[in-house]
Amino acid sequence: MSKDKSAKIPTPQAVRGTQDMLGDFADRFAHVVGAFDRVRRLYGFKRVEVPVIEPTAVFARSLGETTDVVSKEMYSFEDRGGESVTLRPEFTAGIARAYITNGWQQFAPLKVATHGPLFRYERPQKGRYRQFHQLDAEVLGSDSPLADAELLMFADQLLKQLGIADGVTLTLNTLGDAESRDAWRAALVEHFEGHRASLSEDSLARLDKNPLRILDSKDPQDRPIADSAPDIDAFLTGEAQDFFGAVTAGLDAAGVAWERNARLVRGLDYYRHTAFEFVTDRLGAQGTVLGGGRYDGLIEALGGPPTAAVGWAAGIERLAMLIDEPKVDPLNVILAVEDDLAIPAAQRIATALRLHDLSADMIATGSARKRYDKATKINAHVLMSLRWIDDKAVVRTQSVTHDDVLAQVSAVVDGLGFH
RNA sequence: GCGACCAUAGCUCAGUUGGUUAGAGCGCCGGUUUGUGGUACCGGAGGUCGCGGGUUCGAGCCCCGUUGGUCGCCCCA
């Protein structure tokens, strides 16, 4: 580039774990978001926007002070007013906060959907970033299993429309109500205590911090112990059993395929009843494409009224990696301006086309002789060349992939007095 | 926080047991050819081989450190 070293400054690098998207991946990303927005409307979910930044307490309370996310993965800092604020590491807590502070109880049950960036200070790896993006859907203020089932139908349809349902399985479990969960947890701790000597180091730490997590340990040393641990089924209250039964009945009625995974648990404490993950083996270590569950205790934990709620979130980057390359709408018209004298005419034509809702772009820089060649390499329905002959611009239609587009384009161009 | 692998032109990469002025394709810029044409050819710009030390007569290549990337563990979407 420039040899002027005096003007050179070291270019700052992108922050670790962030990404700049252009071209193919940006198209994939947009396609995922577009599909989500379409399906969300089909299910009557309202679009919501919530802040990227929240008081730290919103996440510290809801996620539990001791979880890794809170203790070492949050982007938290004091703002200039001395308030501790945090870049959101997830959507649910912020939406729950908004539900309380805006009095959205009046709309309960409230079905909302959103998407956007989230931040977690983690080691980046495949399908894992410090700034990542999720789709999110929540039903607030409903204790009905119909809400769980509908959310899963929504998720299932989204994956189908993205064309990745074949490589992805819905795995489902219940964590029961508070009573069931506590009883199961106690039984699990007892079971694992009995095998303390054979557990991996990681799982010994989990035993104190988060015993449920031993169940889905990847360590082969843990597997026999985890596999022989009791399922929750024996501890489910009648109510909890009925609830899970209603959810699965709904899925069956709607033709949503699912598998029971009695080892599927949640790290976060506020989850109750339904827990689910859509998993794939096509993303390396990142198996989960979409996950969620019921979090009846959360809103109360944030100081709101007791409110039942259920929701899910899905990583946009992960979905974008799984889908086939989306078709991108070609440009309607590309203009090859083969003589600088014809540039004003090209500008006039391009503007007129755009005013008529026809996309247009022009190649008018670089070697005049090569502009046509460049234009042919651009994906456009209609290629037109502009040359300067006998003191005026001459427009020629050179190649066409869609006659109906050409008809519209010709009408505009002819109306300008060309041809 | 821990581990493994990687780092050469704008991009994708080659570079032989260490041996003169570090190469290719694509892209970019210019020119010739073609002129109803997505062709072919010629030329050009662009690299302190991530950065810093060390070994050596000599390092893109070997050693150490460092930064960054990738993948995995932990955790998690």
mmCIF file with all atom_site columns, all heavy atoms in Angstrom, chain B residues 51-55 61-65:
data_model
loop_
_atom_site.group_PDB
_atom_site.id
_atom_site.type_symbol
_atom_site.label_atom_id
_atom_site.label_alt_id
_atom_site.label_comp_id
_atom_site.label_asym_id
_atom_site.label_entity_id
_atom_site.label_seq_id
_atom_site.pdbx_PDB_ins_code
_atom_site.Cartn_x
_atom_site.Cartn_y
_atom_site.Cartn_z
_atom_site.occupancy
_atom_site.B_iso_or_equiv
_atom_site.pdbx_formal_charge
_atom_site.auth_seq_id
_atom_site.auth_comp_id
_atom_site.auth_asym_id
_atom_site.auth_atom_id
_atom_site.pdbx_PDB_model_num
ATOM 1   P P     . C B 1 51 ? 7.193  -9.980  11.562 1.00 0.00 ? 51 C B P     1
ATOM 2   O OP1   . C B 1 51 ? 7.610  -8.868  10.681 1.00 0.00 ? 51 C B OP1   1
ATOM 3   O OP2   . C B 1 51 ? 7.874  -11.298 11.463 1.00 0.00 ? 51 C B OP2   1
ATOM 4   O "O5'" . C B 1 51 ? 7.297  -9.499  13.078 1.00 0.00 ? 51 C B "O5'" 1
ATOM 5   C "C5'" . C B 1 51 ? 6.663  -8.305  13.509 1.00 0.00 ? 51 C B "C5'" 1
ATOM 6   C "C4'" . C B 1 51 ? 6.745  -8.193  15.008 1.00 0.00 ? 51 C B "C4'" 1
ATOM 7   O "O4'" . C B 1 51 ? 5.958  -9.258  15.617 1.00 0.00 ? 51 C B "O4'" 1
ATOM 8   C "C3'" . C B 1 51 ? 8.144  -8.415  15.587 1.00 0.00 ? 51 C B "C3'" 1
ATOM 9   O "O3'" . C B 1 51 ? 8.926  -7.243  15.516 1.00 0.00 ? 51 C B "O3'" 1
ATOM 10  C "C2'" . C B 1 51 ? 7.828  -8.825  17.013 1.00 0.00 ? 51 C B "C2'" 1
ATOM 11  O "O2'" . C B 1 51 ? 7.468  -7.707  17.803 1.00 0.00 ? 51 C B "O2'" 1
ATOM 12  C "C1'" . C B 1 51 ? 6.593  -9.699  16.800 1.00 0.00 ? 51 C B "C1'" 1
ATOM 13  N N1    . C B 1 51 ? 6.947  -11.130 16.660 1.00 0.00 ? 51 C B N1    1
ATOM 14  C C2    . C B 1 51 ? 7.250  -11.846 17.818 1.00 0.00 ? 51 C B C2    1
ATOM 15  O O2    . C B 1 51 ? 7.214  -11.256 18.906 1.00 0.00 ? 51 C B O2    1
ATOM 16  N N3    . C B 1 51 ? 7.565  -13.163 17.711 1.00 0.00 ? 51 C B N3    1
ATOM 17  C C4    . C B 1 51 ? 7.597  -13.751 16.512 1.00 0.00 ? 51 C B C4    1
ATOM 18  N N4    . C B 1 51 ? 7.919  -15.041 16.469 1.00 0.00 ? 51 C B N4    1
ATOM 19  C C5    . C B 1 51 ? 7.304  -13.030 15.313 1.00 0.00 ? 51 C B C5    1
ATOM 20  C C6    . C B 1 51 ? 6.986  -11.732 15.431 1.00 0.00 ? 51 C B C6    1
ATOM 21  P P     . G B 1 52 ? 10.528 -7.382  15.332 1.00 0.00 ? 52 G B P     1
ATOM 22  O OP1   . G B 1 52 ? 11.048 -6.017  15.165 1.00 0.00 ? 52 G B OP1   1
ATOM 23  O OP2   . G B 1 52 ? 10.839 -8.428  14.321 1.00 0.00 ? 52 G B OP2   1
ATOM 24  O "O5'" . G B 1 52 ? 10.970 -7.933  16.759 1.00 0.00 ? 52 G B "O5'" 1
ATOM 25  C "C5'" . G B 1 52 ? 10.700 -7.158  17.922 1.00 0.00 ? 52 G B "C5'" 1
ATOM 26  C "C4'" . G B 1 52 ? 11.242 -7.865  19.136 1.00 0.00 ? 52 G B "C4'" 1
ATOM 27  O "O4'" . G B 1 52 ? 10.415 -9.014  19.462 1.00 0.00 ? 52 G B "O4'" 1
ATOM 28  C "C3'" . G B 1 52 ? 12.625 -8.478  18.964 1.00 0.00 ? 52 G B "C3'" 1
ATOM 29  O "O3'" . G B 1 52 ? 13.645 -7.504  19.071 1.00 0.00 ? 52 G B "O3'" 1
ATOM 30  C "C2'" . G B 1 52 ? 12.646 -9.488  20.103 1.00 0.00 ? 52 G B "C2'" 1
ATOM 31  O "O2'" . G B 1 52 ? 12.870 -8.863  21.349 1.00 0.00 ? 52 G B "O2'" 1
ATOM 32  C "C1'" . G B 1 52 ? 11.214 -10.022 20.049 1.00 0.00 ? 52 G B "C1'" 1
ATOM 33  N N9    . G B 1 52 ? 11.123 -11.230 19.230 1.00 0.00 ? 52 G B N9    1
ATOM 34  C C8    . G B 1 52 ? 10.789 -11.329 17.902 1.00 0.00 ? 52 G B C8    1
ATOM 35  N N7    . G B 1 52 ? 10.801 -12.565 17.461 1.00 0.00 ? 52 G B N7    1
ATOM 36  C C5    . G B 1 52 ? 11.176 -13.318 18.568 1.00 0.00 ? 52 G B C5    1
ATOM 37  C C6    . G B 1 52 ? 11.360 -14.718 18.705 1.00 0.00 ? 52 G B C6    1
ATOM 38  O O6    . G B 1 52 ? 11.225 -15.606 17.856 1.00 0.00 ? 52 G B O6    1
ATOM 39  N N1    . G B 1 52 ? 11.752 -15.064 20.003 1.00 0.00 ? 52 G B N1    1
ATOM 40  C C2    . G B 1 52 ? 11.928 -14.168 21.026 1.00 0.00 ? 52 G B C2    1
ATOM 41  N N2    . G B 1 52 ? 12.307 -14.682 22.204 1.00 0.00 ? 52 G B N2    1
ATOM 42  N N3    . G B 1 52 ? 11.751 -12.867 20.915 1.00 0.00 ? 52 G B N3    1
ATOM 43  C C4    . G B 1 52 ? 11.377 -12.510 19.667 1.00 0.00 ? 52 G B C4    1
ATOM 44  P P     . G B 1 53 ? 15.160 -7.919  18.678 1.00 0.00 ? 53 G B P     1
ATOM 45  O OP1   . G B 1 53 ? 15.976 -6.703  18.683 1.00 0.00 ? 53 G B OP1   1
ATOM 46  O OP2   . G B 1 53 ? 15.169 -8.818  17.488 1.00 0.00 ? 53 G B OP2   1
ATOM 47  O "O5'" . G B 1 53 ? 15.525 -8.789  19.957 1.00 0.00 ? 53 G B "O5'" 1
ATOM 48  C "C5'" . G B 1 53 ? 16.672 -9.573  19.958 1.00 0.00 ? 53 G B "C5'" 1
ATOM 49  C "C4'" . G B 1 53 ? 16.606 -10.566 21.084 1.00 0.00 ? 53 G B "C4'" 1
ATOM 50  O "O4'" . G B 1 53 ? 15.301 -11.207 21.122 1.00 0.00 ? 53 G B "O4'" 1
ATOM 51  C "C3'" . G B 1 53 ? 17.570 -11.715 20.888 1.00 0.00 ? 53 G B "C3'" 1
ATOM 52  O "O3'" . G B 1 53 ? 18.874 -11.375 21.325 1.00 0.00 ? 53 G B "O3'" 1
ATOM 53  C "C2'" . G B 1 53 ? 16.920 -12.834 21.705 1.00 0.00 ? 53 G B "C2'" 1
ATOM 54  O "O2'" . G B 1 53 ? 17.108 -12.651 23.082 1.00 0.00 ? 53 G B "O2'" 1
ATOM 55  C "C1'" . G B 1 53 ? 15.445 -12.599 21.343 1.00 0.00 ? 53 G B "C1'" 1
ATOM 56  N N9    . G B 1 53 ? 15.098 -13.290 20.098 1.00 0.00 ? 53 G B N9    1
ATOM 57  C C8    . G B 1 53 ? 14.726 -12.725 18.902 1.00 0.00 ? 53 G B C8    1
ATOM 58  N N7    . G B 1 53 ? 14.486 -13.598 17.961 1.00 0.00 ? 53 G B N7    1
ATOM 59  C C5    . G B 1 53 ? 14.718 -14.825 18.574 1.00 0.00 ? 53 G B C5    1
ATOM 60  C C6    . G B 1 53 ? 14.620 -16.135 18.049 1.00 0.00 ? 53 G B C6    1
ATOM 61  O O6    . G B 1 53 ? 14.301 -16.492 16.912 1.00 0.00 ? 53 G B O6    1
ATOM 62  N N1    . G B 1 53 ? 14.941 -17.092 19.018 1.00 0.00 ? 53 G B N1    1
ATOM 63  C C2    . G B 1 53 ? 15.315 -16.812 20.311 1.00 0.00 ? 53 G B C2    1
ATOM 64  N N2    . G B 1 53 ? 15.587 -17.860 21.082 1.00 0.00 ? 53 G B N2    1
ATOM 65  N N3    . G B 1 53 ? 15.408 -15.599 20.811 1.00 0.00 ? 53 G B N3    1
ATOM 66  C C4    . G B 1 53 ? 15.094 -14.652 19.896 1.00 0.00 ? 53 G B C4    1
ATOM 67  P P     . G B 1 54 ? 20.075 -11.606 20.270 1.00 0.00 ? 54 G B P     1
ATOM 68  O OP1   . G B 1 54 ? 21.267 -10.922 20.811 1.00 0.00 ? 54 G B OP1   1
ATOM 69  O OP2   . G B 1 54 ? 19.616 -11.300 18.905 1.00 0.00 ? 54 G B OP2   1
ATOM 70  O "O5'" . G B 1 54 ? 20.280 -13.179 20.409 1.00 0.00 ? 54 G B "O5'" 1
ATOM 71  C "C5'" . G B 1 54 ? 20.432 -13.751 21.709 1.00 0.00 ? 54 G B "C5'" 1
ATOM 72  C "C4'" . G B 1 54 ? 20.231 -15.235 21.662 1.00 0.00 ? 54 G B "C4'" 1
ATOM 73  O "O4'" . G B 1 54 ? 18.903 -15.543 21.166 1.00 0.00 ? 54 G B "O4'" 1
ATOM 74  C "C3'" . G B 1 54 ? 21.142 -15.987 20.705 1.00 0.00 ? 54 G B "C3'" 1
ATOM 75  O "O3'" . G B 1 54 ? 22.435 -16.178 21.246 1.00 0.00 ? 54 G B "O3'" 1
ATOM 76  C "C2'" . G B 1 54 ? 20.371 -17.298 20.545 1.00 0.00 ? 54 G B "C2'" 1
ATOM 77  O "O2'" . G B 1 54 ? 20.545 -18.135 21.671 1.00 0.00 ? 54 G B "O2'" 1
ATOM 78  C "C1'" . G B 1 54 ? 18.926 -16.802 20.512 1.00 0.00 ? 54 G B "C1'" 1
ATOM 79  N N9    . G B 1 54 ? 18.425 -16.652 19.147 1.00 0.00 ? 54 G B N9    1
ATOM 80  C C8    . G B 1 54 ? 18.144 -15.486 18.466 1.00 0.00 ? 54 G B C8    1
ATOM 81  N N7    . G B 1 54 ? 17.709 -15.699 17.246 1.00 0.00 ? 54 G B N7    1
ATOM 82  C C5    . G B 1 54 ? 17.702 -17.086 17.118 1.00 0.00 ? 54 G B C5    1
ATOM 83  C C6    . G B 1 54 ? 17.332 -17.914 16.021 1.00 0.00 ? 54 G B C6    1
ATOM 84  O O6    . G B 1 54 ? 16.908 -17.573 14.911 1.00 0.00 ? 54 G B O6    1
ATOM 85  N N1    . G B 1 54 ? 17.493 -19.268 16.317 1.00 0.00 ? 54 G B N1    1
ATOM 86  C C2    . G B 1 54 ? 17.951 -19.754 17.522 1.00 0.00 ? 54 G B C2    1
ATOM 87  N N2    . G B 1 54 ? 18.033 -21.085 17.629 1.00 0.00 ? 54 G B N2    1
ATOM 88  N N3    . G B 1 54 ? 18.304 -18.999 18.557 1.00 0.00 ? 54 G B N3    1
ATOM 89  C C4    . G B 1 54 ? 18.148 -17.684 18.276 1.00 0.00 ? 54 G B C4    1
ATOM 90  P P     . U B 1 55 ? 23.710 -16.294 20.245 1.00 0.00 ? 55 U B P     1
ATOM 91  O OP1   . U B 1 55 ? 24.924 -16.337 21.083 1.00 0.00 ? 55 U B OP1   1
ATOM 92  O OP2   . U B 1 55 ? 23.559 -15.280 19.177 1.00 0.00 ? 55 U B OP2   1
ATOM 93  O "O5'" . U B 1 55 ? 23.505 -17.736 19.594 1.00 0.00 ? 55 U B "O5'" 1
ATOM 94  C "C5'" . U B 1 55 ? 23.564 -18.905 20.407 1.00 0.00 ? 55 U B "C5'" 1
ATOM 95  C "C4'" . U B 1 55 ? 23.351 -20.141 19.560 1.00 0.00 ? 55 U B "C4'" 1
ATOM 96  O "O4'" . U B 1 55 ? 21.984 -20.130 19.040 1.00 0.00 ? 55 U B "O4'" 1
ATOM 97  C "C3'" . U B 1 55 ? 24.207 -20.212 18.306 1.00 0.00 ? 55 U B "C3'" 1
ATOM 98  O "O3'" . U B 1 55 ? 25.499 -20.728 18.588 1.00 0.00 ? 55 U B "O3'" 1
ATOM 99  C "C2'" . U B 1 55 ? 23.391 -21.151 17.425 1.00 0.00 ? 55 U B "C2'" 1
ATOM 100 O "O2'" . U B 1 55 ? 23.551 -22.500 17.818 1.00 0.00 ? 55 U B "O2'" 1
ATOM 101 C "C1'" . U B 1 55 ? 21.965 -20.705 17.750 1.00 0.00 ? 55 U B "C1'" 1
ATOM 102 N N1    . U B 1 55 ? 21.452 -19.696 16.795 1.00 0.00 ? 55 U B N1    1
ATOM 103 C C2    . U B 1 55 ? 20.946 -20.156 15.591 1.00 0.00 ? 55 U B C2    1
ATOM 104 O O2    . U B 1 55 ? 20.925 -21.337 15.297 1.00 0.00 ? 55 U B O2    1
ATOM 105 N N3    . U B 1 55 ? 20.485 -19.181 14.749 1.00 0.00 ? 55 U B N3    1
ATOM 106 C C4    . U B 1 55 ? 20.479 -17.824 14.975 1.00 0.00 ? 55 U B C4    1
ATOM 107 O O4    . U B 1 55 ? 20.028 -17.071 14.122 1.00 0.00 ? 55 U B O4    1
ATOM 108 C C5    . U B 1 55 ? 21.028 -17.427 16.241 1.00 0.00 ? 55 U B C5    1
ATOM 109 C C6    . U B 1 55 ? 21.480 -18.351 17.088 1.00 0.00 ? 55 U B C6    1
ATOM 110 P P     . C B 1 61 ? 13.031 -19.025 10.443 1.00 0.00 ? 61 C B P     1
ATOM 111 O OP1   . C B 1 61 ? 12.642 -18.842 11.840 1.00 0.00 ? 61 C B OP1   1
ATOM 112 O OP2   . C B 1 61 ? 14.390 -18.651 9.994  1.00 0.00 ? 61 C B OP2   1
ATOM 113 O "O5'" . C B 1 61 ? 12.806 -20.550 10.031 1.00 0.00 ? 61 C B "O5'" 1
ATOM 114 C "C5'" . C B 1 61 ? 11.513 -21.174 10.138 1.00 0.00 ? 61 C B "C5'" 1
ATOM 115 C "C4'" . C B 1 61 ? 11.584 -22.524 9.470  1.00 0.00 ? 61 C B "C4'" 1
ATOM 116 O "O4'" . C B 1 61 ? 11.980 -22.319 8.095  1.00 0.00 ? 61 C B "O4'" 1
ATOM 117 C "C3'" . C B 1 61 ? 12.602 -23.470 10.104 1.00 0.00 ? 61 C B "C3'" 1
ATOM 118 O "O3'" . C B 1 61 ? 12.060 -24.772 10.244 1.00 0.00 ? 61 C B "O3'" 1
ATOM 119 C "C2'" . C B 1 61 ? 13.773 -23.456 9.137  1.00 0.00 ? 61 C B "C2'" 1
ATOM 120 O "O2'" . C B 1 61 ? 14.396 -24.707 9.058  1.00 0.00 ? 61 C B "O2'" 1
ATOM 121 C "C1'" . C B 1 61 ? 13.099 -23.132 7.806  1.00 0.00 ? 61 C B "C1'" 1
ATOM 122 N N1    . C B 1 61 ? 13.969 -22.414 6.873  1.00 0.00 ? 61 C B N1    1
ATOM 123 C C2    . C B 1 61 ? 14.277 -23.045 5.657  1.00 0.00 ? 61 C B C2    1
ATOM 124 O O2    . C B 1 61 ? 13.798 -24.166 5.422  1.00 0.00 ? 61 C B O2    1
ATOM 125 N N3    . C B 1 61 ? 15.089 -22.414 4.786  1.00 0.00 ? 61 C B N3    1
ATOM 126 C C4    . C B 1 61 ? 15.587 -21.213 5.084  1.00 0.00 ? 61 C B C4    1
ATOM 127 N N4    . C B 1 61 ? 16.382 -20.640 4.192  1.00 0.00 ? 61 C B N4    1
ATOM 128 C C5    . C B 1 61 ? 15.284 -20.556 6.310  1.00 0.00 ? 61 C B C5    1
ATOM 129 C C6    . C B 1 61 ? 14.479 -21.190 7.167  1.00 0.00 ? 61 C B C6    1
ATOM 130 P P     . C B 1 62 ? 11.508 -25.223 11.651 1.00 0.00 ? 62 C B P     1
ATOM 131 O OP1   . C B 1 62 ? 10.962 -26.594 11.474 1.00 0.00 ? 62 C B OP1   1
ATOM 132 O OP2   . C B 1 62 ? 10.683 -24.172 12.250 1.00 0.00 ? 62 C B OP2   1
ATOM 133 O "O5'" . C B 1 62 ? 12.866 -25.327 12.511 1.00 0.00 ? 62 C B "O5'" 1
ATOM 134 C "C5'" . C B 1 62 ? 13.613 -26.529 12.547 1.00 0.00 ? 62 C B "C5'" 1
ATOM 135 C "C4'" . C B 1 62 ? 14.669 -26.443 13.620 1.00 0.00 ? 62 C B "C4'" 1
ATOM 136 O "O4'" . C B 1 62 ? 15.758 -25.584 13.154 1.00 0.00 ? 62 C B "O4'" 1
ATOM 137 C "C3'" . C B 1 62 ? 14.205 -25.770 14.909 1.00 0.00 ? 62 C B "C3'" 1
ATOM 138 O "O3'" . C B 1 62 ? 13.551 -26.690 15.763 1.00 0.00 ? 62 C B "O3'" 1
ATOM 139 C "C2'" . C B 1 62 ? 15.516 -25.278 15.497 1.00 0.00 ? 62 C B "C2'" 1
ATOM 140 O "O2'" . C B 1 62 ? 16.231 -26.329 16.122 1.00 0.00 ? 62 C B "O2'" 1
ATOM 141 C "C1'" . C B 1 62 ? 16.270 -24.841 14.246 1.00 0.00 ? 62 C B "C1'" 1
ATOM 142 N N1    . C B 1 62 ? 16.105 -23.396 13.952 1.00 0.00 ? 62 C B N1    1
ATOM 143 C C2    . C B 1 62 ? 16.722 -22.459 14.791 1.00 0.00 ? 62 C B C2    1
ATOM 144 O O2    . C B 1 62 ? 17.369 -22.862 15.769 1.00 0.00 ? 62 C B O2    1
ATOM 145 N N3    . C B 1 62 ? 16.592 -21.140 14.521 1.00 0.00 ? 62 C B N3    1
ATOM 146 C C4    . C B 1 62 ? 15.877 -20.744 13.463 1.00 0.00 ? 62 C B C4    1
ATOM 147 N N4    . C B 1 62 ? 15.779 -19.437 13.230 1.00 0.00 ? 62 C B N4    1
ATOM 148 C C5    . C B 1 62 ? 15.240 -21.677 12.599 1.00 0.00 ? 62 C B C5    1
ATOM 149 C C6    . C B 1 62 ? 15.378 -22.981 12.870 1.00 0.00 ? 62 C B C6    1
ATOM 150 P P     . C B 1 63 ? 12.435 -26.169 16.782 1.00 0.00 ? 63 C B P     1
ATOM 151 O OP1   . C B 1 63 ? 11.787 -27.362 17.352 1.00 0.00 ? 63 C B OP1   1
ATOM 152 O OP2   . C B 1 63 ? 11.624 -25.136 16.108 1.00 0.00 ? 63 C B OP2   1
ATOM 153 O "O5'" . C B 1 63 ? 13.300 -25.461 17.920 1.00 0.00 ? 63 C B "O5'" 1
ATOM 154 C "C5'" . C B 1 63 ? 14.158 -26.213 18.757 1.00 0.00 ? 63 C B "C5'" 1
ATOM 155 C "C4'" . C B 1 63 ? 14.759 -25.311 19.810 1.00 0.00 ? 63 C B "C4'" 1
ATOM 156 O "O4'" . C B 1 63 ? 15.652 -24.351 19.168 1.00 0.00 ? 63 C B "O4'" 1
ATOM 157 C "C3'" . C B 1 63 ? 13.753 -24.430 20.551 1.00 0.00 ? 63 C B "C3'" 1
ATOM 158 O "O3'" . C B 1 63 ? 13.136 -25.124 21.626 1.00 0.00 ? 63 C B "O3'" 1
ATOM 159 C "C2'" . C B 1 63 ? 14.632 -23.274 21.020 1.00 0.00 ? 63 C B "C2'" 1
ATOM 160 O "O2'" . C B 1 63 ? 15.389 -23.637 22.159 1.00 0.00 ? 63 C B "O2'" 1
ATOM 161 C "C1'" . C B 1 63 ? 15.573 -23.104 19.827 1.00 0.00 ? 63 C B "C1'" 1
ATOM 162 N N1    . C B 1 63 ? 15.095 -22.085 18.866 1.00 0.00 ? 63 C B N1    1
ATOM 163 C C2    . C B 1 63 ? 15.281 -20.736 19.173 1.00 0.00 ? 63 C B C2    1
ATOM 164 O O2    . C B 1 63 ? 15.824 -20.431 20.243 1.00 0.00 ? 63 C B O2    1
ATOM 165 N N3    . C B 1 63 ? 14.854 -19.798 18.296 1.00 0.00 ? 63 C B N3    1
ATOM 166 C C4    . C B 1 63 ? 14.268 -20.162 17.152 1.00 0.00 ? 63 C B C4    1
ATOM 167 N N4    . C B 1 63 ? 13.869 -19.205 16.318 1.00 0.00 ? 63 C B N4    1
ATOM 168 C C5    . C B 1 63 ? 14.062 -21.531 16.822 1.00 0.00 ? 63 C B C5    1
ATOM 169 C C6    . C B 1 63 ? 14.485 -22.456 17.699 1.00 0.00 ? 63 C B C6    1
ATOM 170 P P     . C B 1 64 ? 11.666 -24.663 22.075 1.00 0.00 ? 64 C B P     1
ATOM 171 O OP1   . C B 1 64 ? 11.199 -25.680 23.046 1.00 0.00 ? 64 C B OP1   1
ATOM 172 O OP2   . C B 1 64 ? 10.845 -24.364 20.876 1.00 0.00 ? 64 C B OP2   1
ATOM 173 O "O5'" . C B 1 64 ? 11.938 -23.296 22.848 1.00 0.00 ? 64 C B "O5'" 1
ATOM 174 C "C5'" . C B 1 64 ? 12.682 -23.301 24.054 1.00 0.00 ? 64 C B "C5'" 1
ATOM 175 C "C4'" . C B 1 64 ? 12.842 -21.889 24.554 1.00 0.00 ? 64 C B "C4'" 1
ATOM 176 O "O4'" . C B 1 64 ? 13.633 -21.124 23.607 1.00 0.00 ? 64 C B "O4'" 1
ATOM 177 C "C3'" . C B 1 64 ? 11.551 -21.083 24.670 1.00 0.00 ? 64 C B "C3'" 1
ATOM 178 O "O3'" . C B 1 64 ? 10.844 -21.370 25.863 1.00 0.00 ? 64 C B "O3'" 1
ATOM 179 C "C2'" . C B 1 64 ? 12.076 -19.655 24.639 1.00 0.00 ? 64 C B "C2'" 1
ATOM 180 O "O2'" . C B 1 64 ? 12.641 -19.278 25.877 1.00 0.00 ? 64 C B "O2'" 1
ATOM 181 C "C1'" . C B 1 64 ? 13.193 -19.777 23.590 1.00 0.00 ? 64 C B "C1'" 1
ATOM 182 N N1    . C B 1 64 ? 12.708 -19.431 22.234 1.00 0.00 ? 64 C B N1    1
ATOM 183 C C2    . C B 1 64 ? 12.608 -18.074 21.888 1.00 0.00 ? 64 C B C2    1
ATOM 184 O O2    . C B 1 64 ? 12.913 -17.224 22.727 1.00 0.00 ? 64 C B O2    1
ATOM 185 N N3    . C B 1 64 ? 12.165 -17.738 20.653 1.00 0.00 ? 64 C B N3    1
ATOM 186 C C4    . C B 1 64 ? 11.836 -18.703 19.784 1.00 0.00 ? 64 C B C4    1
ATOM 187 N N4    . C B 1 64 ? 11.409 -18.331 18.575 1.00 0.00 ? 64 C B N4    1
ATOM 188 C C5    . C B 1 64 ? 11.928 -20.087 20.116 1.00 0.00 ? 64 C B C5    1
ATOM 189 C C6    . C B 1 64 ? 12.360 -20.403 21.335 1.00 0.00 ? 64 C B C6    1
ATOM 190 P P     . G B 1 65 ? 9.235  -21.185 25.855 1.00 0.00 ? 65 G B P     1
ATOM 191 O OP1   . G B 1 65 ? 8.765  -21.696 27.154 1.00 0.00 ? 65 G B OP1   1
ATOM 192 O OP2   . G B 1 65 ? 8.694  -21.735 24.597 1.00 0.00 ? 65 G B OP2   1
ATOM 193 O "O5'" . G B 1 65 ? 9.048  -19.597 25.822 1.00 0.00 ? 65 G B "O5'" 1
ATOM 194 C "C5'" . G B 1 65 ? 9.471  -18.803 26.927 1.00 0.00 ? 65 G B "C5'" 1
ATOM 195 C "C4'" . G B 1 65 ? 9.451  -17.344 26.548 1.00 0.00 ? 65 G B "C4'" 1
ATOM 196 O "O4'" . G B 1 65 ? 10.250 -17.141 25.351 1.00 0.00 ? 65 G B "O4'" 1
ATOM 197 C "C3'" . G B 1 65 ? 8.097  -16.772 26.164 1.00 0.00 ? 65 G B "C3'" 1
ATOM 198 O "O3'" . G B 1 65 ? 7.310  -16.451 27.298 1.00 0.00 ? 65 G B "O3'" 1
ATOM 199 C "C2'" . G B 1 65 ? 8.502  -15.530 25.375 1.00 0.00 ? 65 G B "C2'" 1
ATOM 200 O "O2'" . G B 1 65 ? 8.912  -14.486 26.233 1.00 0.00 ? 65 G B "O2'" 1
ATOM 201 C "C1'" . G B 1 65 ? 9.724  -16.048 24.603 1.00 0.00 ? 65 G B "C1'" 1
ATOM 202 N N9    . G B 1 65 ? 9.351  -16.507 23.265 1.00 0.00 ? 65 G B N9    1
ATOM 203 C C8    . G B 1 65 ? 9.263  -17.794 22.793 1.00 0.00 ? 65 G B C8    1
ATOM 204 N N7    . G B 1 65 ? 8.892  -17.861 21.537 1.00 0.00 ? 65 G B N7    1
ATOM 205 C C5    . G B 1 65 ? 8.716  -16.535 21.160 1.00 0.00 ? 65 G B C5    1
ATOM 206 C C6    . G B 1 65 ? 8.315  -15.971 19.919 1.00 0.00 ? 65 G B C6    1
ATOM 207 O O6    . G B 1 65 ? 8.030  -16.549 18.874 1.00 0.00 ? 65 G B O6    1
ATOM 208 N N1    . G B 1 65 ? 8.256  -14.578 19.981 1.00 0.00 ? 65 G B N1    1
ATOM 209 C C2    . G B 1 65 ? 8.555  -13.836 21.099 1.00 0.00 ? 65 G B C2    1
ATOM 210 N N2    . G B 1 65 ? 8.432  -12.505 20.968 1.00 0.00 ? 65 G B N2    1
ATOM 211 N N3    . G B 1 65 ? 8.928  -14.338 22.257 1.00 0.00 ? 65 G B N3    1
ATOM 212 C C4    . G B 1 65 ? 8.992  -15.688 22.220 1.00 0.00 ? 65 G B C4    1
#
